[in-house]
């Protein structure tokens, strides 16, 4: 029997400053929601004021998890200690596996105009935390879009839609679903998810009702969903949201700034390795 996921909790997030002064809203990783295994952090950023983003994220280290940058508008240049470099542009995604350690920077490739997007941190299981760093990076044109007869459009970054369109990201650790959904007014959206997943959706525009109980969700709110095998939302007006789901890692977590490991000793080792130049 199919069970629809109901809305469990609404998270508003906190306005914070990160990097060298970038203004953003931290939703997962905030006092309201510390984490939603395997998701360690979810930030939303968006501003047409250069002073809110121009300082960017100068070089900083990571170890033990993945960072996912999805650009809604604007251009962000990334460089790292392994010699990789590139620009993430509007509609593009970068899924970086930090693994055993990398030092990277993300700096705006623009001095004016709107810069907007999301950053998601995804945990890695203990067996993968010390593997080599790697990237999966795709431009907007490379990301498949499922178009339904009712006018719904679904950008498929990871996972598979019920209509059979698969995303571009390969992650066998948490088998994520990451969809960017454009829903016309008065339309119902349904998507199958694994019953054991943790699932959230973040509404960027419009208003929706979630689940069979039709609980309302407004723009700039994140909904944590109950367990179940089906996500169902109805739109009152033209709506845009991201739906994210993944298998929990279910392991102990130790955090230390930009490092996410399983024990305090491993965090201390990460700081020591960084101080002594042992990162890539």
């Amino acid at each position: 029997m199919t069970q629809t996921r109901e809305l469990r909790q609404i998270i508003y997030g906190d306005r914070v400053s990160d990097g060298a002064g970038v203004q953003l809203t931290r939703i997962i990783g905030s006092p309201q929601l510390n984490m939603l295994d395997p998701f360690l952090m979810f930030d939303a950023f968006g501003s047409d004021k250069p002073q809110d983003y121009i300082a960017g994220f100068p070089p900083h280290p990571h170890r033990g998890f993945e960072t996912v940058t999805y650009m809604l508008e604007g251009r962000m240049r990334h460089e790292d200690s392994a010699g990789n470099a590139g620009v993430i542009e509007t509609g593009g995604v970068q899924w970086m596996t930090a693994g055993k350690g990398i030092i990277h920077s993300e700096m705006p490739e623009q001095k004016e105009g709107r810069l907007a997007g999301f950053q998601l941190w995804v945990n890695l299981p203990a067996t993968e935390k010390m593997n080599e760093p790697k990237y999966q990076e795709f431009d907007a044109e490379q990301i498949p879009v499922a178009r339904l007869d009712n006018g719904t459009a679904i950008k498929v970054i990871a996972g598979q839609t019920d209509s059979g369109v698969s995303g571009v990201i390969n992650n066998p650790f948490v088998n994520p679903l990451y969809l960017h959904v454009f829903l016309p007014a008065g339309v119902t959206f349904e998507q199958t998810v694994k019953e054991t997943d943790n699932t959230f959706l973040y509404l960027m525009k419009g208003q929706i009702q979630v689940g069979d109980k039709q609980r309302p969700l407004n723009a700039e709110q994140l909904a944590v969903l109950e367990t179940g095998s089906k996500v169902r939302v109805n739109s009152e007006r033209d709506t845009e949201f991201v739906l994210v789901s993944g298998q929990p890692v279910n392991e102990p977590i130790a955090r230390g700034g930009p490092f996410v490991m399983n024990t305090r000793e491993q965090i201390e080792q990460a700081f020591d390795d960084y101080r002594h130049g042992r990162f890539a």
Side-chain angles (χ1 to χ4, degrees), residues 130-167:
M130 294 299 287
N131 283 350
E132 292 294 326
K134 65 178 182 179
Y135 287 91
Q136 299 178 76
E137 191 167 324
F138 299 92
D139 296 332
E141 313 81 66
Q142 298 174 290
I143 300 174
V145 179
R147 301 189 184 278
L148 309 185
D149 292 341
N150 62 12
T152 300
I154 309 167
K155 243 182 119 170
V156 191
I157 295 168
Q160 186 178 70
T161 67
D162 285 0
S163 60
V165 178
S166 295

Side-chain angles (χ1 to χ4, degrees), residues 62-122:
H62 289 304
R63 173 180 281 180
F65 64 100
E66 300 182 301
T67 68
V68 183
T69 304
Y70 179 40
M71 292 298 298
L72 298 172
E73 292 181 71
R75 306 174 78 237
M76 188 82 82
R77 172 170 291 279
H78 68 90
E79 297 181 356
D80 70 30
S81 51
N84 300 300
V87 177
I88 316 167
E89 303 197 38
T90 298
V93 66
Q94 181 199 80
W95 198 293
M96 184 187 81
T97 304
K100 67 180 185 180
I102 201 162
I103 302 167
H104 79 145
S105 63
E106 298 152 298
M107 303 297 292
E109 185 81 346
Q110 61 190 62
K111 289 186 167 48
E112 59 184 13
R114 184 165 175 78
L115 187 80
F118 300 121
Q119 180 152 111
L120 177 70
W121 286 14
V122 185

Side-chain angles (χ1 to χ4, degrees), residues 26-273:
R26 179 148 298 154
I27 309 162
I28 299 176
S30 70
Q32 302 167 56
L33 183 62
N34 180 48
M35 69 172 290
L36 184 68
D37 192 5
F39 308 116
L40 303 159
M41 191 185 81
F42 182 71
D43 288 344
F45 57 92
S47 179
D48 54 11
K49 301 174 183 175
Q51 65 267 28
D52 285 348
Y53 62 74
I54 201 69
F57 301 89
H60 56 282
H62 289 304
R63 173 180 281 180
F65 64 100
E66 300 182 301
T67 68
V68 183
T69 304
Y70 179 40
M71 292 298 298
L72 298 172
E73 292 181 71
R75 306 174 78 237
M76 188 82 82
R77 172 170 291 279
H78 68 90
E79 297 181 356
D80 70 30
S81 51
N84 300 300
V87 177
I88 316 167
E89 303 197 38
T90 298
V93 66
Q94 181 199 80
W95 198 293
M96 184 187 81
T97 304
K100 67 180 185 180
I102 201 162
I103 302 167
H104 79 145
S105 63
E106 298 152 298
M107 303 297 292
E109 185 81 346
Q110 61 190 62
K111 289 186 167 48
E112 59 184 13
R114 184 165 175 78
L115 187 80
F118 300 121
Q119 180 152 111
L120 177 70
W121 286 14
V122 185
N123 198 15
L124 285 168
T127 54
E128 307 299 324
K129 284 184 179 293
M130 294 299 287
N131 283 350
E132 292 294 326
K134 65 178 182 179
Y135 287 91
Q136 299 178 76
E137 191 167 324
F138 299 92
D139 296 332
E141 313 81 66
Q142 298 174 290
I143 300 174
V145 179
R147 301 189 184 278
L148 309 185
D149 292 341
N150 62 12
T152 300
I154 309 167
K155 243 182 119 170
V156 191
I157 295 168
Q160 186 178 70
T161 67
D162 285 0
S163 60
V165 178
S166 295
V168 289
I169 296 299
N170 176 40
N171 178 316
F173 317 124
V174 303
N175 295 300
L177 178 76
Y178 195 144
L179 306 178
H180 181 181
V181 181
F182 302 82
L183 197 61
V187 168
T188 298
F189 166 84
E190 292 188 346
Q191 172 66 38
T192 302
V193 293
K194 297 182 186 73
E195 287 194 32
T196 50
D197 274 9
N198 280 325
T199 304
F200 71 88
L201 61 84
Y202 179 79
L203 189 63
M204 295 119 81
K205 185 178 80 171
Q207 186 181 55
I208 57 176
Q209 288 79 41
V210 179
D212 294 337
K213 295 179 181 177
Q214 296 287 285
R215 285 192 59 191
L217 189 73
N218 297 313
E220 299 184 355
Q221 294 179 346
L222 182 144
V224 179
L225 304 184
E226 297 279 11
T227 57
S229 57
K230 180 79 71 175
V231 175
R232 178 182 292 124
V233 304
N234 296 312
S235 60
E236 283 203 353
R237 59 192 78 148
D238 289 354
T239 295
E240 194 175 339
F241 61 90
V242 289
L243 173 65
V244 181
S245 190
Q247 289 278 290
V249 174
N250 289 324
E251 291 179 356
I253 287 179
R255 296 199 205 202
F259 308 131
V260 182
M261 302 299 288
N262 298 103
T263 68
R264 196 70 231 163
E265 292 74 21
Q266 291 170 336
I267 293 294
E268 291 168 3
Q269 184 65 56
F271 278 109
D272 188 70
D273 288 346

